[in-house]
Amino acid sequence: MSQHGETADISVVVNGEAWTHTVEVRRTLADVLRDDLRLTGTHLGCEQGVCGACTVELDGAAVRSCLMLAVQADGAAITTIEGLTNVDGSLSTLQAGFRDAHGFQCAFCAPGFLITAKLLLDENPAPSREEIREAISGNLCRCTGYESIIASIEQVVRSASQADTTEVNS
Ligand code: FES
Ligand code: FES
């Protein structure tokens, strides 16, 4: 990163694509993702680190992009909700699980829940209901759709285990 007064050059990999850009040092990662990269799937709710709607994956960890400065992400690999779709643009198993089990009402919270669920399943492909509850406990849904969100993640786990069984039996 080279600094020029109030701006700095950053290099990041976002959803698999390398990106270098000059950003104002005071701008948040969420604002740069949404306004500069036009990745508006990352939502801004509270902008105070409380709701989790702005959660993105940064080097394998969940971060609140409303609290992080874009310059702090220099050199990182970032995944946003746009990066969860399959290469051909179809819904991933995770996204399809939320659709099929009605994990959304207004869906404002969805980007944060989906990234949180991805990270949970990356680490623990067969979480218990309690582990799912614990993992999503930092994300808020104003439509109080928690039961259906938990059911959605359980649906993804079931789909993955059925796919594994089919593979073994074929
Ligand atoms: S918008 Fe970032 S935590 Fe709410
Ligand atoms: S579905 Fe509306 S905020 Fe969660």
Side-chain angles (χ1 to χ4, degrees):
M1 180 172 69
S2 61
Q3 296 234 1
H4 315 285
E6 294 299 306
T7 64
D9 297 334
I10 63 167
S11 297
V12 285
V13 175
V14 181
N15 301 331
E17 275 187 45
W19 188 75
T20 300
H21 196 55
T22 303
V23 296
E24 285 182 66
V25 295
R26 64 179 177 80
R27 293 181 71 210
T28 65
L29 177 59
D31 284 342
V32 169
L33 288 171
R34 287 175 51 82
D35 299 339
D36 296 13
L37 274 74
R38 310 306 298 164
L39 295 171
T40 53
T42 296
H43 287 166
L44 279 171
C46 65
E47 299 191 54
Q48 294 177 3
V50 176
C51 73
C54 65
T55 304
V56 299
E57 177 182 359
L58 187 136
D59 289 341
V63 299
R64 308 281 209 215
S65 61
C66 73
L67 291 185
M68 185 171 194
L69 295 173
V71 291
Q72 293 175 296
D74 184 41
I78 297 166
T79 303
T80 67
I81 187 170
E82 289 89 348
L84 296 185
T85 49
N86 296 323
V87 182
D88 65 1
S90 60
L91 294 184
S92 63
T93 308
L94 179 63
Q95 293 168 310
F98 271 70
R99 177 198 61 197
D100 295 345
H102 309 290
F104 316 121
Q105 289 185 50
C106 78
F108 189 84
C109 64
F113 275 102
L114 280 161
I115 293 290
T116 302
K118 175 195 182 292
L119 288 165
L120 167 67
L121 298 176
D122 284 351
E123 194 174 305
N124 178 3
S128 66
R129 192 172 178 80
E130 203 41 49
E131 288 169 329
I132 295 172
R133 291 176 72 91
E134 171 69 26
I136 64 168
S137 61
N139 291 70
L140 300 182
C141 173
R142 289 176 297 181
C143 304
T144 62
Y146 298 106
E147 279 308 312
S148 51
I149 289 168
I150 292 167
S152 299
I153 298 172
E154 289 178 324
Q155 163 80 25
V156 176
V157 172
R158 271 197 305 278
S159 303
S161 112
Q162 279 159 7
D164 284 351
T165 310
T166 310
E167 217 166 88
V168 168
N169 293 338
S170 61

